[in-house]
């Protein structure tokens, strides 16, 4: 069979179609892109090409991955994998002053997260309160080494003045979680 086209033959090419299906897992993000352009020549010859691309996000210390929660007060926070005691958790991260001031205010549930990690580059001596926080929480305070300093139970504040919660010495990390989740904390480890 002769496959040479005569000079007056018109070649019809249909535009390629692209389907993009992002898949998100915590803590890494995998994006799969399938490209399947189809080109049809004068008879029934079809050429198909498929490409898959996997992209892993770069991590920094501490490794936080920006995850979009479907609206609500947790939408702007990144997430971090941590080990609390012997358990691996996924937590929202508050490492900027505005995020630390917001904390879990207005949150009615943790949306599948295990808690919220507050972290600083240097030890701090500060207090937490439960103003505009709708759910009871426990808070654990940790040294730079990850060793536990204290765990305190906190209740929502319904009227000013609100109680202030904190340890009796400086700390590097604080972790808020549902009541009882931090009872066996012991040690905090940030995971990549």
């Amino acid at each position: 069979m002769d496959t040479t086209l005569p000079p007056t033959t018109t070649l019809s090419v249909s535009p390629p179609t692209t389907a993009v299906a992002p898949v998100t897992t915590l803590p890494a993000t995998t994006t799969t892109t399938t490209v399947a352009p189809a080109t049809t020549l004068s008879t029934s010859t079809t050429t198909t090409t498929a490409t898959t691309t996997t992209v892993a996000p770069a991590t920094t210390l501490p490794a936080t991955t920006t995850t979009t929660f479907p609206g609500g007060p947790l939408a702007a926070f990144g997430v971090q994998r941590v080990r609390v005691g012997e358990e691996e958790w996924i937590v929202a991260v508050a490492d900027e002053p505005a995020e630390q001031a917001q904390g879990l205010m207005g949150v009615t549930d943790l949306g599948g997260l295990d808690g919220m990690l507050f972290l600083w580059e240097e030890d701090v001596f500060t207090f937490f309160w439960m103003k505009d926080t709708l759910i009871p929480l426990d808070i654990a305070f940790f040294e730079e080494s990850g060793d536990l300093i204290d765990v305190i139970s906190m209740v929502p504040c319904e009227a000013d003045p609100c109680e202030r919660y904190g340890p009796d010495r400086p700390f590097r990390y604080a972790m808020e979680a549902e009541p009882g989740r931090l009872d066996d904390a012991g040690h905090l480890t940030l995971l990549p």
Side-chain angles (χ1 to χ4, degrees):
M1 168 188 239
D2 183 10
T3 58
T4 305
L5 298 175
T8 58
T9 302
T10 302
L11 178 62
S12 174
V13 178
S14 51
T17 58
T18 304
V20 178
V23 178
T24 303
T25 58
L26 295 177
T29 301
T30 302
T31 303
T32 303
T33 305
T34 303
V35 180
T39 304
T40 306
L41 300 176
S42 60
T43 59
S44 63
T45 305
T46 301
T47 305
T48 303
T49 305
T51 305
T52 301
T53 305
T54 302
V55 179
T59 56
T60 58
L61 185 62
T64 58
T65 302
T66 301
T67 299
T68 303
F69 295 95
L74 293 175
F77 291 93
V79 295
Q80 168 79 42
R81 287 181 337 115
V82 298
R83 182 167 290 114
V84 179
E86 298 299 318
E87 296 180 20
E88 189 170 310
W89 289 14
I90 303 291
V91 296
V93 176
D95 57 358
E96 298 293 330
E99 295 169 339
Q100 292 164 345
Q102 174 65 37
L104 292 173
M105 291 191 313
V107 173
T108 55
D109 68 74
L110 296 176
L113 295 173
D114 295 294
M116 178 172 279
L117 174 66
F118 297 79
L119 55 95
W120 292 266
E121 292 181 15
E122 297 181 9
D123 288 356
V124 295
F125 188 64
T126 191
F127 296 90
F128 287 73
W129 67 347
M130 296 287 283
K131 182 169 180 68
D132 299 326
T133 303
L134 307 175
I135 56 176
L137 297 166
D138 283 356
I139 187 167
F141 299 93
F142 298 91
E143 296 176 339
E144 179 182 6
S145 66
D147 290 336
L148 179 67
I149 296 172
D150 198 4
V151 177
I152 301 171
S153 293
M154 304 185 297
V155 295
C157 176
E158 296 179 9
D160 286 329
C162 295
E163 185 172 349
R164 295 168 22 141
Y165 303 92
D168 59 1
R169 64 179 198 249
F171 57 93
R172 180 65 58 97
Y173 309 103
M175 175 76 71
E176 290 181 339
E178 294 174 345
R181 290 288 313 271
L182 293 164
D183 289 350
D184 298 318
H187 191 82
L188 172 70
T189 306
L190 304 181
L191 300 174

